[in-house]
Amino acid sequence: MAIIEIPPKAGRILRILQENGYEAYVVGGCVRDSLLGRRPEDWDITTSASPAQVKRLFAHTADTGIQHGTVTVLDDHEGFEVTTYRIDGDYEDGRHPKQVTFTASLIEDLKRRDFTINAMAYSPESGLVDEFGGMKDLKERMIRCVGRPEERFGEDALRMLRAVRFAAQLGFELADGVKGSIHELADNLRMVSAERIQAELVKLVVSPRPHWLRLAYECGITAVILPEFDRIMMQRQNNPHHAYSTGEHTLVAMQNIPADKVLRLTMLFHDMGKPEVFETDEAGIDHFHGHAAHSEILAGKILRRLKFDNETTRQVCTLVGFHSRYPKLSAYDVRLCAYEIGGRELFDRFLLVKRADILAQHPDVIGQKLDYLKEVEHIWQDVKAHEDCLSLGELAVSGSDLIAEGRKPGPRIGELLQALLMEVLQYPERNTKEYLLAMSREM
Ligand code: ATP
Ligand code: MG
């Protein structure tokens, strides 16, 4: 029999509920991940107790989703979602249930869940409750719906994207009928909120298999939520630098970069502007002049459409816009580029983006481009080690220093500082107050 090691705090919550006459189990993702030998992110608890009853038993709780029957029990600042057994009420075409009904039956609660591998519960007393063959599907590595796929996808269209997301996270296959149903119903994803789509898309792209976005494409999901991706899947690039279509190159590039939200999204968008600037010369070679700027604009549009936060959007757009820049092999040009990108952290990321992009290009050009990149990296390490000035904030003089020298406040001050920065980016040793004030006096 499966034994799941429940962390002490979650175990205590189960015990308290049970000692007070209620049923209680850990459920869903944590059971699935434990059985797979993965470390669960969080431990969700399902119980026959009503939210009011849960609140009476624990000193510290928060009403995080009370309309869906969820109370968060806090134990020393760690939160555990405790949800009353429920049946989801009417769905409004592919949206979240409008209302939920509580039930006394664990099996009814498990039945509302999306996939068999997510529909198992466990308690130390009762062992594993696996009514829908979740264990078998874990062994067979299958994403299978609880019930008929077309019904379940019809109730909540987001489940289609979740199916692909779990497949990519776990390396599982979509069971018979799942792919076909998605094909048929993918259009319903139009009715799902951007926030919910964003959350699943991010989990997919930061998974160990970001290139399984291809599965979302094959099922007709990206055509609805990311049609710009379908366009690059069809964009050829007959060009000595490239061995794949723009879309395939993008999928490989995503695999070549660490599993970080900003980095993976940057690779996803970095060439999306290519179809807009596509040109073929007399020799039959394809060109994409200025594609980075177009990709940047497109990335901004898409990220806003999917309601990404401003900081993520800013970083991704900056990296996309800079990705085709090749700094010259001089400390000056590397400093200038780091300044323009907007700092050390982003320049570190820019180098990862360049590496991932190069590694997804034609085998004939990879070696030479990597040699170049290694030199840039080397120069950059030096620049960082010397703590060279890379921004107005790091300049040895400030606007108030110039005003103290008798300059009138106004836009001219900003221009002067900018000129001093350009000098210092070229000659970092000149970043001293004496030198820069003397220089400003002559300007
Ligand atoms: P993760 O580790 O990514 O959090 P998870 O399985 O915990 O994976 P959640 O989105 O946190 O996924 O949902 C928790 C559980 O709630 C799922 O395991 C599943 O049983 C159920 N669930 C979540 N979303 C849906 C949905 N849209 N339709 C049906 N059941 C769902
Ligand atoms: Mg979860």
Side-chain angles (χ1 to χ4, degrees), residues 27-30 32-33 41-44 81 162 165-166 203:
V27 70
C30 63
R32 176 199 69 224
D33 288 342
E41 294 249 331
D42 35 41
W43 291 79
D44 294 334
E81 290 197 349
R162 283 171 63 85
R165 180 269 271 201
F166 284 116
K203 286 184 178 180

Side-chain angles (χ1 to χ4, degrees), residues 28-29 32 112-114 118 156 159 162 165 203:
R32 176 199 69 224
R112 74 168 166 92
R113 294 172 185 271
D114 45 9
N118 288 345
D156 179 4
R159 290 172 188 156
R162 283 171 63 85
R165 180 269 271 201
K203 286 184 178 180

